[in-house]
Amino acid sequence: MATNNNKDIIYLPLEGVESEHCALIVEKGLAHVEGIETHKVELNNQRAAITVTNEEVLANAVTAIKDLGYGVTTVKKVFPVLGMTCASCAGSAESIVSYEPGVVNASVNFASGNLTVEYLPNITNATKLQKAVQGAGYDLLIEDETKQQETLEAIHEKKFKQLKTNTMWSVLLSLPVVVIGMFFMNMPYANPIMWAFSTPVLLWFGKDFFINAWKQAKHRSANMDTLVALSTGIAYIFSVFNMLFPKFWESRGLEAHVYFEAASVIIAFILLGKLLEEKAKGNTSSAIKKLMGLQPKTVVVIQPDGMEKQIPIEEVNVNDTILVKPGEKIAVDGIVITGSSYVDESMLSGEPVPVLKEENEKVFAGTINQKGSFQFKALKVGKETMLAQIIKMVQDAQGSKAPVQKLVDKIAGIFVPVVMSIAVITFIIWFILGGDNGVVQGLLAAITVLVIACPCALGLATPTAIMVGVGKGAEKGILIKDAESLESAKKVNAIILDKTGTITEGKPEVTGISWLQNNNTAKNILLSIEKKSEHPLAEAVVKFLGDTATTPLTNFDSITGKGAKADYDGKTFFVGNKKLLVENKVTIAEELLKQADGWSKQAKTVIWFANSKEALSVLAISDKIKETSVQAIKELQAMNIELYMLTGDNEATAKSIAEETGIQHYKAEVLPQHKADFVKELQQQGKTVAMVGDGINDSTALATADVSIAMGKGSDIAMDVAKMTIISSDLSKIPQAIKLSKQTVATIKQNLFWAFIYNLIGIPIAAGILYPINGFLLNPMIAGAAMAMSSVSVVTNSLRLKWKK
C-alpha cells in the first residue's frame, strides 16, 4: 500500500461517477474513512485526490468507494516471484510490494510462488514493482513492459466497448418487445415472449443499475442508479405478477396489463444516453489528450564518446545532450548548444509563426522542430517540463469547481430523495383519486416520475462547460488555473497593465549615450555598478558597454525604484533616475539636461550616471511596443473596460507610450508596493480589477487583483501567483480570455436553465398533472428517452463552445 510520508496527493481514478451528486456521495464516503486527511472529488478528471496518514488507508479508501457502488480503476495482476526459499521470504516480498506507492492490495503465496497484486495504473506499473522486489534480493517475472502495462486509456476504452455492446443488445432485444406490446398484445404467448426478451435486458445488460442501487441502499444513500433500478424493477415485477396471476385483476373487473416494453426500453434508452454522453464527454477532454500526445516516446542522446543512442523519454536526465532532427518533436525543456532551426511553438503558445532558435535559446517539450537540426542540453525533464506543468494546470483547472456549482451541489444532494418522495406521493394520490385504475395508473405515473427525473443533467451543466472552456483556452495559449477565475473574468471592468514586458517587448536597448567628460575610468565604474544591479535596464547597459573592463567597487547598494550606488576609490557614484540625483543634491549640466529632455519626448527611458557632485553621463534606453499591443488595447476599450498603465518609468516616457497605444489613464514612477495599493483603490470604487504583469515586482498586485494575468515569458513567481497565464505574452489574448469567460458562463447558465426547466416541467407531467385537463399520461418509455437525451443535450451544448470564435 502506498506510503505517504510527505503527504503527497494520491489520485484515485474513478468509474461510474457521472454527476456532481455521485461526486458528493463519494466525498461523503471518503470523509468517513479513518486516516484520510484531505479529500476532493474532481468530476471532470474522473478522479479523487486524497492525502493519507499511513499506508493501510489507500486500500480502505478504494474499498469505501467500491462499497458505494462506484469503481476505482485498478489493475489486478499475478506475477511469479523468483528467488524465494521459505515462507518468511514470501512475507518479506509481500511487505515490500505492499509499501510501494499506488499498491492497493498485495499477497504472496509461497506454495504457488505467485504475487497477486492490485495497483493504481496512474501511479505504478509492473516494472516499478519488479525493481522494488529486486532491491530485496528477489525477482518478478514480468512480460515485456509495452505488452503488460495497462494504461487508464486502455481500461476506459474496454469499458466503453462493454457499454457499446450492452447498449446494442438492449436496443435489439427491446425492439420485438415494443412491437408486440404496441401492436400485437393479443397474439398467442405475447406475454411470455415479451418476458423472455426483456429479462436479459434488465438482469444482464442493465444489471449494473441494480448492483449499484443495492450498494447505495446499504449505505442509506441513493443516486441515479436507484431511480432507474426502482422504476424498471417495479415495472418488471408488476408485469411478471400480472403475467403469472392475471385472475387477481380479472376477478376485480380489471385487465391484467404487462409493462415489459416500458422496463426494457427505459434500460435501452438510458444505456444509449450514457453511451452518447461518454462519447461527448471524451470530446470535452480532447485538449488534454492533444497536450499529452505532444511528447515523443523516445529521444536521441549524444553520449560522452560522441555516439548517438536512442533511449526512452523516461531515461532522459538533466544535462543530457539531445539531438533534434528536422520534423521531430522536442522531448524535454532545454537550451540550444549547437546548430539552429525554426521551432513551431503553436501547441503551447497558440502563436502560428515558428520561432528561430539559436545558441543559448530555450526550447520546450512538445514543440516541433522545422527544417534545421540542432543539439540542446536538457534542463527540465519529466514532471518539471513546461508541457507537463501545463497539462497539470489544465487538469487541475478542469477539476476545480466554479462558485455557481455550490448551489447546484446542494440541489443535487437532495434531488434523488425528493424525486423518490414525489413518486410515492404520486402513487398515493392516484390510489385515492384514480378510481378503478388508480393502482395501475398510479404505479405507472410513479415509475414515470422516477425515470424522467435527471440529476445527471444538473450535475453535468457546470463541469462540462468549464472543461471545454479551460481546454479551449489551453489550445489558444491561455492557461486558466481554476474555474473561479474563468467565471469571474467576465465581470472585469478595469484592467491594470504593467508597461515593461506587457505593453512593450521587455527587451530594453541603449539607443544613445552622452558624456560630460568621456574617460575610460568612468565607463568602467558605470559597467561595474550595472553588473551588480538586478534591474532589467541594467542588463541593457551591460550589453551596450560589453567590451569595457570592470573595476572593484565597495558599499554597493540597490535603491528600490530609483537605482543604485557604490563607492570607488573613496568616492560615491550613482546610477539611476533623476529623482536619485536630486535627492543627493547632484548638479546636472545644461547640455545633459537638454539631451535628456529630447530623449524623454521620444518615449525613451533616461538613466543618469553621476558622482557625488555632478552628473557625468546620460543614457537613453528604449523598449519597443509590441506589434499586437495597440490592437489589443482598442479591443479592450471597445468592450467598455477601463485601462490603466502603471510604470516605474518617468512621466515623459509613460505619457508617450500612453499616447502611442491610446491608453487614457496612466501613472509614472510607481514603486512595486504602490501597484497593489492602486488595485485596492480601484476595488474600493466598486470595480472588478484584472492585473496584467510579468515580473517579480508585479506579484503582490497580481495577488491583490480579482483576476490576475501573468505574461508567460515573465518570471516564475508572477506565473505562480496569477490565475491566468498568457504563454506567448501577447496582449491580444486578454480580450480573447474575457470573451471565452463570457461564452463559458453563458453556456453554464443555458445548461442550468435547461436542466432545471426539464425537471420542473417533466416531473409534474410524469406525475399526471395534465390528466384531469386533457387525459394525457406520459408513457414511461418516452420519459426514459427524454431523461437520456437531457444529459446528452447538456454535454452537446457545452461542446458548442469549442466552435465559437
Side-chain angles (χ1 to χ4, degrees):
M1 283 141 232
T3 59
N4 199 26
N5 301 330
N6 300 324
K7 298 290 182 284
D8 289 334
I9 294 172
I10 300 168
Y11 292 106
L12 304 177
L14 298 174
E15 294 168 8
V17 179
E18 306 293 346
S19 68
E20 282 294 339
H21 180 54
C22 299
L24 280 173
I25 291 168
V26 173
E27 282 201 346
K28 281 178 189 169
L30 289 172
H32 293 126
V33 178
E34 211 171 311
I36 291 182
E37 292 191 324
T38 64
H39 56 86
K40 177 190 171 194
V41 175
E42 297 176 2
L43 179 65
N44 288 333
N45 294 331
Q46 290 284 292
R47 68 187 188 185
I50 63 169
T51 57
V52 298
T53 53
N54 59 62
E55 56 279 1
E56 276 83 36
V57 179
L58 183 59
N60 298 341
V62 172
T63 307
I65 293 168
K66 287 184 176 178
D67 280 351
L68 288 166
Y70 303 104
V72 177
T73 305
T74 57
V75 174
K76 283 185 180 175
K77 289 277 183 180
V78 178
F79 300 114
V81 184
L82 310 177
M84 290 194 299
T85 55
C86 65
S88 65
C89 296
S92 172
E94 184 178 302
S95 63
I96 285 154
V97 176
S98 296
Y99 280 86
E100 265 299 286
V103 172
V104 179
N105 290 303
S107 68
V108 175
N109 185 321
F110 180 61
S112 64
N114 282 343
L115 159 72
T116 305
V117 62
E118 183 182 4
Y119 59 85
L120 298 166
N122 56 321
I123 295 176
T124 191
N125 56 45
T127 308
K128 286 180 183 175
L129 298 178
Q130 184 187 42
K131 280 179 184 170
V133 172
Q134 284 170 342
Y138 311 111
D139 201 357
L140 277 190
L141 190 64
I142 60 169
E143 300 169 38
D144 174 47
E145 171 69 8
T146 51
K147 289 178 189 171
Q148 128 0 81
Q149 189 183 4
E150 280 189 65
T151 62
L152 282 172
E153 203 146 307
I155 295 166
H156 288 148
E157 186 63 35
K158 192 175 165 187
K159 292 232 172 262
F160 185 75
K161 279 183 182 169
Q162 187 61 53
L163 180 59
K164 208 171 176 179
T165 305
N166 288 354
T167 305
M168 186 183 73
W169 279 106
S170 297
V171 171
L172 287 173
L173 292 172
S174 296
L175 277 172
V177 185
V178 173
V179 172
I180 295 168
M182 293 287 197
F183 308 107
F184 302 104
M185 268 304 291
N186 298 320
M187 67 179 265
Y189 304 111
N191 289 355
I193 292 167
M194 288 194 290
W195 173 70
F197 276 105
S198 62
T199 300
V201 174
L202 261 83
L203 304 183
W204 184 251
F205 300 114
K207 68 178 184 293
D208 285 347
F209 293 116
F210 295 94
I211 293 167
N212 293 338
W214 171 244
K215 286 180 178 178
Q216 292 287 325
K218 282 197 299 184
H219 290 85
R220 295 178 185 175
S221 185
N223 67 359
M224 191 193 114
D225 292 327
T226 312
L227 298 181
V228 176
L230 270 176
S231 55
T232 54
I234 291 166
Y236 179 78
I237 291 163
F238 185 62
S239 301
V240 171
F241 178 84
N242 289 1
M243 178 182 76
L244 298 176
F245 308 106
K247 289 194 168 67
F248 179 83
W249 299 106
E250 286 164 4
S251 64
R252 289 163 172 76
L254 299 169
E255 268 192 79
H257 276 299
V258 294
Y259 298 96
F260 289 121
E261 79 281 5
S264 64
V265 169
I266 287 165
I267 296 278
F269 272 137
I270 289 166
L271 285 174
L272 182 64
K274 269 182 172 288
L275 186 74
L276 295 171
E277 194 184 299
E278 281 300 316
K279 192 129 184 78
K281 271 159 66 181
N283 290 335
T284 62
S285 60
S286 61
I288 282 280
K289 286 176 187 165
K290 276 185 200 167
L291 286 169
M292 285 175 164
L294 292 174
Q295 204 164 34
K297 300 286 178 279
T298 59
V299 295
V300 175
V301 172
I302 307 293
Q303 294 180 292
D305 60 4
M307 297 291 287
E308 293 177 14
K309 185 187 178 186
Q310 192 170 56
I311 62 167
I313 191 164
E314 293 82 17
E315 292 176 20
V316 176
N317 295 313
V318 174
N319 294 329
D320 278 354
T321 301
I322 296 167
L323 173 67
V324 185
K325 294 172 185 171
E328 284 185 346
K329 285 178 184 169
I330 292 163
V332 294
D333 292 4
I335 191 163
V336 178
I337 47 177
T338 58
S340 68
S341 178
Y342 280 90
V343 173
D344 178 1
E345 295 186 342
S346 60
M347 58 289 302
L348 297 186
S349 66
E351 295 300 311
V353 182
V355 183
L356 177 63
K357 299 290 179 181
E358 296 176 304
E359 225 172 289
N360 295 323
E361 291 272 353
K362 285 183 179 178
V363 289
F364 301 101
T367 55
I368 300 168
N369 182 28
Q370 302 276 290
K371 292 175 182 173
S373 178
F374 60 88
Q375 291 179 16
F376 73 94
K377 184 167 80 173
L379 296 179
K380 289 181 179 177
V381 299
K383 290 178 183 174
E384 299 299 312
T385 65
M386 188 176 176
L387 177 64
Q389 286 173 346
I390 288 172
I391 290 169
K392 188 178 185 311
M393 201 187 275
V394 172
Q395 273 184 325
D396 289 347
Q398 289 187 336
S400 65
K401 286 184 182 180
V404 71
Q405 189 68 39
K406 286 168 190 163
L407 170 70
V408 180
D409 284 353
K410 282 179 186 170
I411 294 163
I414 57 164
F415 187 88
V416 176
V418 167
V419 169
M420 287 164 72
S421 304
I422 292 169
V424 171
I425 293 163
T426 300
F427 177 75
I428 293 166
I429 292 169
W430 273 99
F431 181 73
I432 296 165
L433 306 175
D436 290 344
N437 290 325
V439 173
V440 177
Q441 287 184 324
L443 206 57
L444 279 178
I447 288 167
T448 311
V449 167
L450 292 170
V451 170
I452 203 162
C454 187
C456 293
L458 276 175
L460 292 166
T462 307
T464 51
I466 293 288
M467 212 163 172
V468 177
V470 169
K472 188 179 177 183
E475 285 173 9
K476 300 276 181 193
I478 303 163
L479 280 189
I480 297 157
K481 206 175 261 185
D482 59 28
E484 192 172 345
S485 53
L486 181 63
E487 191 181 323
S488 50
K490 76 173 275 289
K491 301 172 194 163
V492 168
N493 51 19
I495 295 180
I496 298 171
L497 301 167
D498 174 49
K499 178 181 78 77
T500 309
T502 303
I503 296 172
T504 62
E505 293 280 3
K507 293 175 186 169
E509 291 175 357
V510 175
T511 55
I513 187 165
S514 184
W515 289 92
L516 191 64
Q517 300 161 357
N518 194 351
N519 65 63
N520 284 335
T521 308
K523 272 187 186 176
N524 295 349
I525 296 164
L526 173 59
L527 177 66
S528 303
I529 295 173
E530 291 292 49
K531 270 202 166 172
K532 282 181 178 285
S533 174
E534 291 175 358
H535 197 280
L537 297 181
E539 280 181 41
V541 179
V542 170
K543 201 174 175 186
F544 181 73
L545 298 171
D547 298 333
T548 312
T550 55
T551 194
L553 302 170
T554 56
N555 301 326
F556 176 84
D557 185 19
S558 180
I559 305 156
T560 307
K562 291 168 192 171
K565 67 174 184 175
D567 293 350
Y568 171 74
D569 199 20
K571 292 177 187 172
T572 303
F573 290 85
F574 300 95
V575 178
N577 57 22
K578 194 176 176 183
K579 198 185 275 185
L580 182 66
L581 271 60
V582 171
E583 279 178 9
N584 289 280
K585 299 182 174 60
V586 173
T587 56
I588 302 171
E590 190 62 37
E591 60 191 271
L592 291 183
L593 209 54
K594 202 173 176 183
Q595 179 67 76
D597 288 345
W599 281 334
S600 291
K601 282 172 187 165
Q602 293 168 22
K604 292 182 180 181
T605 301
V606 173
I607 285 184
W608 296 89
F609 173 53
N611 59 27
S612 55
K613 292 176 184 171
E614 62 178 350
L616 303 175
S617 167
V618 64
L619 297 91
I621 295 180
S622 119
D623 186 9
K624 227 169 53 176
I625 292 172
K626 290 177 191 170
E627 286 177 26
T628 52
S629 292
V630 178
Q631 182 56 37
I633 285 160
K634 275 184 190 165
E635 279 183 51
L636 289 166
Q637 285 168 337
M639 293 162 83
N640 292 323
I641 294 170
E642 284 182 19
L643 294 179
Y644 301 83
M645 180 181 77
L646 300 187
T647 177
D649 233 324
N650 62 59
E651 177 71 24
T653 305
K655 188 182 179 187
S656 175
I657 296 277
E659 282 172 359
E660 209 172 319
T661 54
I663 292 175
Q664 289 160 351
H665 313 283
Y666 68 89
K667 278 193 167 198
E669 298 178 22
V670 179
L671 296 174
Q673 62 266 34
H674 295 153
K675 288 184 180 179
D677 295 339
F678 187 64
V679 171
K680 286 177 190 163
E681 203 180 299
L682 290 179
Q683 285 170 331
Q684 280 160 6
Q685 293 169 26
K687 292 184 168 72
T688 303
V689 183
M691 171 74 199
V692 186
D694 75 324
I696 292 168
N697 60 356
D698 298 321
S699 55
T700 316
L702 286 167
T704 312
D706 299 295
V707 177
S708 45
I709 304 169
M711 290 298 174
K713 288 179 182 169
S715 74
D716 288 347
I717 293 174
M719 285 167 71
D720 283 346
V721 172
K723 291 293 173 76
M724 286 190 190
T725 301
I726 309 294
I727 296 175
S728 64
S729 293
D730 178 354
L731 215 54
S732 65
K733 298 284 181 186
I734 293 170
Q736 284 181 29
I738 292 168
K739 280 176 194 164
L740 180 64
S741 168
K742 286 180 177 174
Q743 288 170 351
T744 306
V745 172
T747 304
I748 290 170
K749 284 179 177 171
Q750 289 161 11
N751 286 351
L752 287 172
F753 173 78
W754 287 114
F756 277 115
I757 285 293
Y758 164 82
N759 283 300
L760 283 173
I761 294 173
I763 291 170
I765 289 174
I769 202 166
L770 296 177
Y771 188 75
I773 302 161
N774 57 11
F776 178 78
L777 262 180
L778 187 64
N779 189 310
M781 290 190 292
I782 307 299
M787 184 272 195
M789 291 319 294
S790 66
S791 297
V792 177
S793 63
V794 162
V795 181
T796 308
N797 190 45
S798 293
L799 284 171
R800 282 176 55 241
L801 259 176
K802 273 187 169 189
W803 299 289
K804 283 187 180 176
K805 286 191 175 178

